[in-house]
Structures are given as C-alpha cells and as structure tokens.
Amino acid sequence: EDKVVQSPLSLVVHEGDTVTLNCSYEVTNFRSLLWYKQEKKAPTFLFMLTSSGIEKKSGRLSSILDKKELFSILNITATQTGDSAIYLCAGTLNAGGTSYGKLTFGQGTILTVHP
Amino acid sequence: DTGVSQDPRHKITKRGQNVTFRCDPISEHNRLYWYRQTLGQGPEFLTYFQNEAQLEKSRLLSDRFSAERPKGSFSTLEIQRTEQGDSAMYLCASSFTGTSSRGYTFGSGTRLTVV
C-alpha cells in the first residue's frame, strides 16, 4: 500500500526562523511529489517535483526531491506569522502516458510561527 | 469562475440520515477526485473519475458511499445512513490527465457533522 510520512508532525518557531519540513514516500509507480499549504480551507498548491535534485523556489519557500532516497524537503526561510498552516505533501503515480493518478497524502506538519 | 466549487460548505445531519454533496470542477479538467479529511490528518482518497467513468474507488469506502459524475462535469457524493464516524471535511479536486505543472486544484470542502 502506498504510504507518505511527514515529520515533524508539529513545529513551533518564532518569526525570522528557518524551518525544514520532511516527507518520505513509498508510492508504487511514483511520478511526482507535491507540496500544499492548508490554512482553514482547501489545500493550496506550492510545488510539484518530478525530477531528482532540482530545487524549486518561490520566494522564501524552496523544495527538493531525492528519488533515490525517496524523500523531499520543504524549506521556509525568514518565517512570518502568515506561514502558520498545515503543510501537506502527497505522492502521485503514473496512470498511463502523461496522465497523473490519485494523490496519497501524508498526515501533515502543523507549523506555528509566533511573532 | 476559475476554481473548484463545492456545495454546501457546511452540513449538520442526524445519524441515520442521507446526505449529498456537490462538486463543480474547473471546466476544462476531465479528472475529478473526492477526498475525506479528519482533524489532524491529511486528506484520504475516496474515489476519482475521468470524464463520467469512475476509475477507482478506495477499499476504505463502505457501501453507504456512492459517487456519480453523470455528464462528465459536476459530481455528487452521497452518504446513506450517516454515522458519527462520517463527520469530516469532504474535499473535491480536479485536474487534467495531461502534464500540468500545477497538478490538482482543490475546492474549499464540505464540512459534515453527524450528531
């Protein structure tokens, strides 16, 4: 059965700190790993990682995938209170051709940033 | 409207009643997914459609759950004879089958409370 495990499950930091969130996966016929930020409602897309070793960056957030070791990390530098949220990672599989399959989510990391 | 819409946003029902939720995906997306999320957990896959065909259904989904996508556009998820354990956020997502750098788009969810 496909499995995605995130660590830590929760993290409390102060504004300005740098955090690293971890995600390991076991997904049959793996295609991509995705990171989402979830506040009170729908998960919002952060990154999709398909190739190993290529860092994706968006502002203070960055992420990288290691397909050999089956894990990914999400880094947030200079954290702000607005970064407080649940961060979800999910693996998706090949579903034929260029098609993506369902997402298998980890349990999430709850990040709390204090002023 | 460029997002995924779900209706209703909240539903409170008595145990034993039937409930139905609706999801309107992004119009050009041909895949539609249903997930369930309980407090402190990541979203759990329930089922997904490509156009009107239901391609996969989770083994965790009991016979009380049924989903349809009759014309390949909107979808409904029905839960019959609700139980307190059905209380959760029900999320809908849509995607292309082809390559997409943004992956999946989620709706804001329907929060079900069974009393």
Side-chain angles (χ1 to χ4, degrees):
Chain A
E1 187 175 324
D2 294 341
K3 191 175 177 184
V4 176
V5 177
Q6 292 186 244
S7 65
L9 294 182
S10 66
L11 193 55
V12 180
V13 299
H14 287 94
E15 273 193 317
D17 289 348
T18 293
V19 298
T20 298
L21 309 183
N22 304 296
C23 176
S24 64
Y25 64 90
E26 294 175 25
V27 175
T28 305
N29 200 18
F30 173 82
R31 185 184 184 101
S32 298
L33 189 127
L34 292 87
W35 283 95
Y36 287 88
K37 178 182 181 181
Q38 186 176 30
E39 295 174 271
K40 298 203 173 181
K41 300 174 187 174
T44 54
F45 175 81
L46 294 175
F47 298 110
M48 175 184 274
L49 303 154
T50 303
S51 300
S52 199
I54 299 174
E55 184 182 52
K56 290 210 171 179
K57 198 167 170 65
S58 176
R60 295 177 294 103
L61 277 66
S62 63
S63 184
I64 196 162
L65 175 68
D66 185 329
K67 292 172 81 171
K68 182 179 177 185
E69 300 297 330
L70 307 184
F71 79 88
S72 175
I73 59 172
L74 175 69
N75 281 318
I76 309 175
T77 59
T79 51
Q80 302 171 356
T81 55
D83 295 327
S84 296
I86 300 171
Y87 290 84
L88 297 163
C89 74
T92 188
L93 47 88
N94 278 312
T98 57
S99 177
Y100 292 86
K102 67 183 182 188
L103 292 170
T104 299
F105 282 90
Q107 48 298 46
T109 294
I110 302 172
L111 175 65
T112 304
V113 182
H114 288 310
Chain B
D1 184 6
T2 58
V4 176
S5 300
Q6 291 190 246
D7 184 69
R9 298 291 296 276
H10 301 274
K11 178 72 177 178
I12 300 174
T13 191
K14 291 185 178 179
R15 190 173 49 188
Q17 297 294 304
N18 299 343
V19 294
T20 300
F21 310 141
R22 176 177 169 127
C23 172
D24 287 89
I26 292 174
S27 58
E28 54 267 34
H29 285 178
N30 59 350
R31 284 206 170 171
L32 185 149
Y33 306 79
W34 286 99
Y35 291 85
R36 176 174 63 191
Q37 188 176 22
T38 53
L39 200 63
Q41 300 294 319
E44 173 188 43
F45 170 76
L46 295 179
T47 188
Y48 87 97
F49 295 83
Q50 179 165 310
N51 300 314
E52 64 274 8
Q54 189 172 18
L55 295 189
E56 188 175 345
K57 190 173 172 180
S58 169
R59 291 173 297 170
L60 302 173
L61 211 60
S62 78
D63 291 342
R64 298 184 297 104
F65 287 71
S66 62
E68 292 183 341
R69 194 182 183 198
K71 297 182 180 178
S73 56
F74 74 91
S75 175
T76 58
L77 177 69
E78 181 183 17
I79 309 173
Q80 296 181 326
R81 304 181 304 281
T82 52
E83 301 172 358
Q84 286 190 321
D86 297 331
S87 295
M89 173 77 85
Y90 289 82
L91 293 166
C92 175
S94 68
S95 74
F96 293 107
T97 51
T99 304
S100 168
S101 62
R102 292 196 61 81
Y104 309 76
T105 303
F106 281 83
S108 295
T110 293
R111 183 168 293 285
L112 173 66
T113 303
V114 181
V115 298

